[in-house]
Amino acid sequence: MDVPQIVSATAARVEPKVSIRGLSKIFGEGPGATIALQDIDLDVGDHTFVTLVGASGCGKSTLLRIIAGLEFHTGGEIVANGQAVTGPGADRAMVFQQYSLFPWLNVAQNIRFSRKLRANKGDFTSAEVEAASGRADTLLNLMGLQAAEKSFPNQLSGGMQQRVAIARALMPRPPILLMDEPFGALDAQTREVMHDLIQYVFLLEKSTIVFVTHDVEEAIYLGQRVVVMAPRPGRIDSIYDVPLPLQRSQDMKLSPEFVRLKGEIVNRIRETSGMKTDLELLDKLCGQLKI
Amino acid sequence: MTNRRNARPGLWTVRGPMSQRNYWLFAAAGLLIPLLAWWGLASAELVSKVFMPGPAEVWSRVVKWSTEDNLLGDTFISIYRVTTGWALSAVIALPLGLLIGSFRPVQALLEPLTDFIRYMPAVAFIPLVMLWVGIDESSKISIIFIGTFFQMVLMVAEDVRRVPVAQVEAAQTMGADRREMVELVLLQSAKPALLDTMRITMGWAWTYLVVAEIVAANSGLGYSILRAQRYLQTDKIFAGIIIIGLIGLITDQIFRLAHRKAFPWMYRKS
């Protein structure tokens, strides 16, 4: 009884959730065209947490938006959930940096929005409706939003708004969750809380998450794999497997593995980005000051 | 260092706060000062009363207008013309603007044309309107429609285009189809701005009243102003203009109230 289960589980893991081959993206045409992404190869396995990190202009957000189907690639292939990506779809939920909530709907209505879309199309049984309201309540609890259920987005803090956005994205149990610097606009303390929350969601919901950030510490703390990208042209520079247990805790940030990996990745980003010339200039100036 | 006890921002701080009491104080001053200046100027009799009738003359004209003539009738027929012309324009401009703001091909198809017509003076259409529509009520309504509609379409389209892209994309990644995008996101998100556009264009519709009542009218506030001009009844011209202004002020307040009632979430803060 156990054996076939293991086999099927492994088989499921072999098949990646997102598979990208030789993908490129060029903005514009003619001499004004810029290469946003060049020759991207990336696999995201089922139930893995992958973070994309890099300096601005490395195309990490563009890559995420291509997976979401919000931008179109100009070359190569991209397959998500076993289907070629041709546009946005409910199987790839996305959490944006901010301002994505519907301000005219309260928290509970925002979270139920995807249900409303499906109910609209009439593909609902009454059992599913029941399950949906249970699901919404679960997510309200999970995100600590019970007290804010009837509040409107403009009454909530930035952190609370992002909780709603995450709950709304999770509502239809999307196989893939895409996050585009979702905590970029939050203060440091709120971010830490959100990190543990999204970790918990990842373990509980068994999601596959692709998470874009410019914060190396965030990338390591959340990701099982950290994909470092480099600009001009946007490309994958290196991929790191994070040598930490699946379940993270804040004190791991002080562990030697964490610190070493952080140093390595920060250096890598520094070397591959345009920052290098800036840093050399800064060194020269400091030398002149004799400090 | 001095210890400033009352560290509230002053009245003249850039974008500073203002108490409700002060607001009404300044608003009342803004209305009363011109009124007093007008009264002073008129009673000083520097110019003939024909050029500058005083508040008293204008008031007695209003009384005379309502007792000896049909002020109420003139007011209602004008309100009817303006509101109908404006409503007709809204009925067409709202769906059209929604489509222009939602779909690029519709925008490319209709926006340049609308921009072109928008610059044509509504007054210049009077002969054509008389020729095509005739000289009854519908001609007056048509002029107000022409004056309002083309501006309104563009403003509606702009309101729809200003819906934050993150809201649109969030709905797309939740699997919204084209119809749902327009009905459940773009329209809902733009609603507060659309009501504001309706309020502003109502004001514009009123500015076309006098023009509209040039066309073979025998009643209405605009018509009365035009006729007063012929008989040099400056006090009646003043009265007509002030009444139109007051109607506008009241309509504006009604729209603002409706905005508060329809979109309470905009006014609620934690």
Side-chain angles (χ1 to χ4, degrees), chain A residues 65 68 70 88-90 92-94 96 98-104 113-114 116-117 120-121 152 154-155 168, chain B residues 164 166-177 180 183-186 188-190 265-270:
Chain A
R65 290 172 58 81
L70 295 170
R92 285 151 288 136
M94 180 120 161
F96 299 82
Q98 55 193 135
Y99 308 129
S100 75
L101 293 179
F102 303 129
W104 64 95
F113 188 79
S114 59
K116 192 174 175 183
L117 294 179
N120 242 4
K121 297 182 178 74
F152 286 89
N154 66 350
Q155 296 174 284
R168 185 179 65 175
Chain B
Q167 287 176 21
V168 174
E169 291 184 339
Q172 281 179 318
T173 54
M174 283 187 273
D177 61 28
E180 288 168 333
E183 282 179 5
L184 298 178
V185 182
L186 293 177
Q188 301 305 323
S189 191
W265 53 269
M266 290 196 95
Y267 300 92
R268 234 180 272 178
K269 291 273 178 255
S270 51

Side-chain angles (χ1 to χ4, degrees), chain B residues 58 62 65 206 209-210 221-222 224-226 234-248:
Chain B
V58 171
V62 169
W65 191 351
W206 273 100
L209 179 72
V210 178
L221 293 172
S224 302
I225 291 171
L226 287 169
T234 1
D235 47 1
K236 192 163 186 180
I237 298 176
F238 268 65
I241 292 171
I242 290 170
I243 289 166
I244 291 176
L246 286 174
I247 295 170

Side-chain angles (χ1 to χ4, degrees), chain B residues 89-100:
Chain B
S89 134
V91 164
I92 307 171
L94 281 169
L96 209 59
L98 186 60
L99 289 176
I100 293 175

Side-chain angles (χ1 to χ4, degrees), chain B residues 126 139-141 143-144 208-217:
Chain B
I126 289 177
S139 65
K140 288 114 197 157
I141 293 166
I143 293 293
I144 288 168
Y208 286 101
L209 179 72
V210 178
V211 172
E213 291 181 351
I214 288 176
V215 190

